[in-house]
Amino acid sequence: MNKSVDISNFQKLSIPEKIDFLSGEFLESIKSLDEKTLNSVLRGVVLDSKENPYVRKSALELFTELVILGKVKTRHAYSLLIDDWVSDEDIFLELQRLKDLLLYYEPSSEESCDIEAIFKKGTGGFETEITSECLFNLGIISLTKAFGALNENEYKINLEKGEHYFQKSFEGIENRVDSKFYQKVILILKELVSNKWDSAILYIKELANNLFQKEIFSFNYDFDNLQYGFYKMLTSLQQICIQQPKDWIDYKLELDKVYLNYTEITNSKITTRLNEKSLIEKIGAHFKDRILEPFFAINLSSEVTKIDVLLRDITEGSSEWNFLKYLKSIIQDTDKKKVEYESIELEFKKLFPNQSSQVIDKVISNVNKPTDFIRAFGLLTQKNNENLLGHLMFACSKLQGDKKYWGNNVNENDRNRYIATLLESAGYTIKDQPQWSISTEGKDSGEIDVFVTEPNGAPKSIIEALILDSLKQDYLILHLDKLFRYDTTGLENNYIITYSLAKNFNSFWTRYHNFISKYDYEYKFLEFKELDKYNYADIKIGVAQHLRNGKKINLYHLMINLVER
């Protein structure tokens, strides 16, 4: 070993001398040392349990920097931090180890499971700092997995996990503004998936405040880091997606701005920290594939001629020329139809939030040319039963989400009026509690809770409602019979809504649908099917089919959990 870096007397040095040695003589001679020597020297200091914790921490920081610089192989880091590590009582040394472990995490590596297991184990400890750090790291791992997700469901699940971990990390230590920052990033990503730029812009402004807070809490703030990288990419993305190309006057000038922002997103300069570079590249690819290409496909689809003109005026092969060719390929390439389809699907879900995904998918699968859009809008705005059911489920979910309609002290008519009002605002013709047919005593006209009619006044569907806190069979039978009695014409689809105040909602629903499947109706009962296309935990729905004068009719049963909690 070079005499100037001889550590044979390292143990005899004082603590200040050891720190000076690691940051002075040893550091100056790194270029002349081989990898084996570097690994051996630093590893020996880090793993020496008798050594001063701060000296060990300094040696570990230097070791990680050497891995980043490529002077020490990553496998040596895995060996040191995973295989041979012995837990230490010093919190700062353990925290340094956890921070460094995150830098080496890659989902595709063999060690990824070991690293994740270490973080999960750390969340069960008694030291708040350790627990918070492990939760934060698991949040970053969830983000990494989300950006590499193969499908929408996997993407959303990992975003939810990440949000949970960051929230828990922030709850543990109040000044963990980094956890708060990434939690906000996930909120933005959720809004962008739904193309909700208004709320996303507000969250992006809050990110700037988080960065400012971090500067306050840090003595050595550096803007060239992962968080600032996220912020720059999101602001650039915002600058692109709030554009309205159809209103551009100077097309070349505006497209140049788009190009500059696009470059900011897809060519990040953050390269200093191992997997931070990998993560920022993944989010750049994520924004490009999921947000930018759909935006370009929709908003520039009619601008091919203008792009061709610009291509003639720009040097072939230049970065701007390549960008314009890329835009043109998105607009024209048939391989991009999937992007266009997903973009259309997103817009339709925004325009028709009450419709089920299955209905929207079925409608837009036939959209191939501009005139098809008119047909699609017509189909989605039809007042047919499938659309009525979607709007009714939406109304029930809004009712269930409003706490003022929970509990025993709410009048049934107030709930009925709320649902009727939402249906009416969706364009349905509603007659609230009209006099129709005969009463249960067979004398005067009875009251229908909600009566849906066609625009010309012809009856369409009857909605009957009741409140139950248990399976009161006589009371339920009264309403079932009442609904069939009110329906004098034999409508194809009717609905009965149960406002449930039962303590065990799932158990009550099971007993309910068992009973209605066995009851002896005026019109022959054929079968009952539970519907799972509406993914609500506190709203159940099924459809019973009956035979009335040789024709099959449907009675939809909805149950809403309105118990106070």
Side-chain angles (χ1 to χ4, degrees), residues 19-192:
I19 294 171
D20 287 342
F21 179 85
L22 290 172
S23 60
E25 293 180 62
F26 187 77
L27 196 58
E28 289 173 7
S29 305
I30 279 175
K31 291 181 180 177
S32 64
L33 295 177
D34 60 273
E35 181 187 16
K36 184 178 180 181
T37 303
L38 288 172
N39 179 49
S40 176
V41 170
L42 292 173
R43 178 188 176 84
V45 177
V46 173
L47 293 178
D48 186 356
S49 60
K50 296 179 181 178
E51 184 57 82
N52 175 271
Y54 186 80
V55 173
R56 295 173 68 188
K57 179 176 177 291
S58 299
L60 180 55
E61 287 177 340
L62 180 55
F63 183 92
T64 298
E65 290 302 323
L66 291 176
V67 176
I68 292 170
L69 292 170
K71 300 289 288 183
V72 177
K73 290 185 175 64
T74 305
R75 60 182 173 83
H76 293 311
Y78 289 140
S79 175
L80 172 63
L81 298 174
I82 299 175
D83 300 330
D84 300 328
W85 188 269
V86 178
S87 295
D88 195 275
E89 292 182 0
D90 185 78
I91 293 176
F92 295 105
L93 181 61
E94 287 294 331
L95 283 174
Q96 188 63 46
R97 179 217 182 189
L98 295 171
K99 290 176 187 293
D100 289 351
L101 269 176
L102 181 63
L103 293 175
Y104 301 119
Y105 179 85
E106 272 294 336
S108 58
S109 71
E110 294 180 4
E111 293 77 13
S112 62
C113 291
D114 294 328
I115 294 174
E116 198 168 348
I118 290 169
F119 294 150
K120 287 181 178 177
K121 183 179 179 182
T123 63
F126 297 105
E127 294 292 346
T128 305
E129 289 86 353
I130 297 292
T131 299
S132 181
E133 184 67 31
C134 287
L135 287 166
F136 173 81
N137 291 350
L138 288 170
I140 293 293
I141 285 174
S142 297
L143 260 184
T144 304
K145 289 181 178 179
F147 296 139
L150 299 176
N151 55 63
E152 196 71 21
N153 188 51
E154 184 185 345
Y155 173 71
K156 289 180 179 178
I157 287 173
N158 280 297
L159 284 187
E160 292 292 342
K161 285 183 180 178
E163 186 175 17
H164 168 76
Y165 286 132
F166 290 131
Q167 176 63 31
K168 289 293 183 183
S169 176
F170 181 74
E171 288 174 357
I173 299 180
E174 206 168 303
N175 66 348
R176 281 220 68 139
V177 291
D178 50 0
S179 294
K180 193 173 183 181
F181 178 94
Y182 286 113
Q183 187 183 33
K184 198 73 68 179
V185 166
I186 289 176
L187 286 175
I188 292 169
L189 292 173
K190 285 182 174 180
E191 296 302 273
L192 295 186

Side-chain angles (χ1 to χ4, degrees), residues 233 235-246 248 250-267 291-293 295-297 299-300 307 310 319-320 323-324 326-327 330:
M233 292 171 77
T235 52
S236 296
L237 191 70
Q238 172 190 331
Q239 290 303 314
I240 293 175
C241 293
I242 61 174
Q243 294 286 334
Q244 297 293 328
K246 65 180 185 300
W248 287 348
D250 189 332
Y251 200 81
K252 184 180 185 309
L253 177 64
E254 298 300 336
L255 209 53
D256 284 345
K257 293 178 184 176
V258 170
Y259 167 69
L260 290 173
N261 285 302
Y262 174 83
T263 304
E264 187 73 59
I265 295 167
T266 55
N267 296 301
I291 299 171
L292 288 179
E293 290 194 355
F295 175 84
F296 293 147
N299 291 280
L300 300 177
I307 291 175
L310 293 176
S319 55
E320 291 88 351
F323 175 64
L324 290 174
Y326 157 74
L327 290 182
I330 290 174

